[in-house]
Amino acid sequence: MNSTLEEIRKLSEIEFLPILSKECEKVLIDLMEKEKPTKILEIGTCVGYSSSIMLLNSSASIDTIELDEERQKVAKNVWKAQNLQDRVTAYLGDANVILKDVVKNKEYDFVFLDGPKSRYLEHLNIVLPFVKKGGIILADDVLFFGLVKGEEHVAHKHRTIVRHLREFLQDVENRKDVEMELIKEGNGIAIIRKK
């Protein structure tokens, strides 16, 4: 890992930034090497950590969406420090509003869902027509601290996210146009392949 990314990981621990878990980072690196994507879509840039990991382990270009302007500014500096900026198209805005325009007339072979968890199903339905056959959609944090597949009582503040993630996983499991592998490590990672 380069010094820029080490600094971001340290900063994320101090400022509680929701960057990639080490488990998901390993899965992403493995998938970049195995799948060799050329065009990636990321929903949830945060400070550019996950996009940097994907770019450093592939020859792809990436479209990435972030709601928070300050985080996007940090991300732009992170990409520049690693000389990755020419491979990134960064969109500022609410994915729920701009996603349809971002993906229009494009084709992706890899999608990383790491934005608002309660919108995963909605975002999947928007992006799936723009994913190549055999392409991957990776959704992070799908088990949400074990609450999604667990039986225990869910605190009020987490109920909506947990309900939406349960609906997302159930929908994906029942679809005929994709197949899913669910990895329990980290906070739960869904690897969804378009048939």
Side-chain angles (χ1 to χ4, degrees), residues 172-191:
V172 173
E173 283 168 4
N174 294 331
R175 293 177 90 118
K176 301 283 184 267
D177 55 350
V178 297
E179 54 191 16
M180 176 175 70
E181 177 190 354
L182 189 58
I183 297 171
K184 300 222 164 78
E185 278 82 18
N187 216 354
I189 304 158
I191 302 172

Side-chain angles (χ1 to χ4, degrees), residues 29-157:
I29 291 170
D30 289 347
L31 284 170
M32 291 298 111
E33 289 170 358
K34 193 171 113 195
E35 302 293 327
K36 298 183 176 24
T38 57
K39 188 67 179 167
I40 300 171
L41 171 67
E42 174 183 54
I43 301 171
T45 311
C46 194
V47 290
Y49 187 92
S50 47
S51 49
S52 296
I53 291 292
M54 289 186 277
L55 291 170
L56 290 167
N57 290 282
S58 74
S59 58
S61 62
I62 192 165
D63 290 343
T64 182
I65 302 171
E66 177 55 45
L67 178 62
D68 186 298
E69 192 171 357
E70 287 308 309
R71 285 182 178 177
Q72 191 193 59
K73 279 181 190 167
V74 173
K76 286 181 176 179
N77 289 329
V78 167
W79 299 320
K80 196 169 182 184
Q82 301 169 95
N83 203 26
L84 298 170
Q85 70 275 12
D86 294 344
R87 293 164 58 198
V88 181
T89 305
Y91 295 89
L92 182 65
D94 186 336
N96 306 326
V97 177
I98 68 170
L99 184 57
K100 285 180 181 166
D101 289 331
V102 170
V103 299
K104 201 175 185 177
N105 302 321
K106 293 182 186 160
E107 190 174 49
Y108 299 97
D109 40 21
F110 196 92
V111 176
F112 184 45
L113 294 182
D114 200 25
K117 313 300 165 217
S118 58
R119 300 292 191 148
Y120 274 8
L121 183 54
E122 189 181 329
H123 292 165
L124 177 70
N125 287 329
I126 292 169
V127 303
L128 199 57
F130 301 93
V131 175
K132 284 182 184 174
K133 191 175 178 181
I136 299 265
I137 299 106
L138 187 146
D140 197 14
D141 303 318
V142 294
L143 297 179
F144 202 72
F145 307 108
L147 295 172
V148 173
K149 292 282 187 182
E151 298 299 317
E152 67 270 16
H153 174 75
V154 178
H156 183 72
K157 66 180 179 177

Side-chain angles (χ1 to χ4, degrees), residues 9-10 72 158 161 189:
R9 190 162 277 290
K10 283 178 193 159
Q72 191 193 59
H158 297 312
I161 287 178
I189 304 158

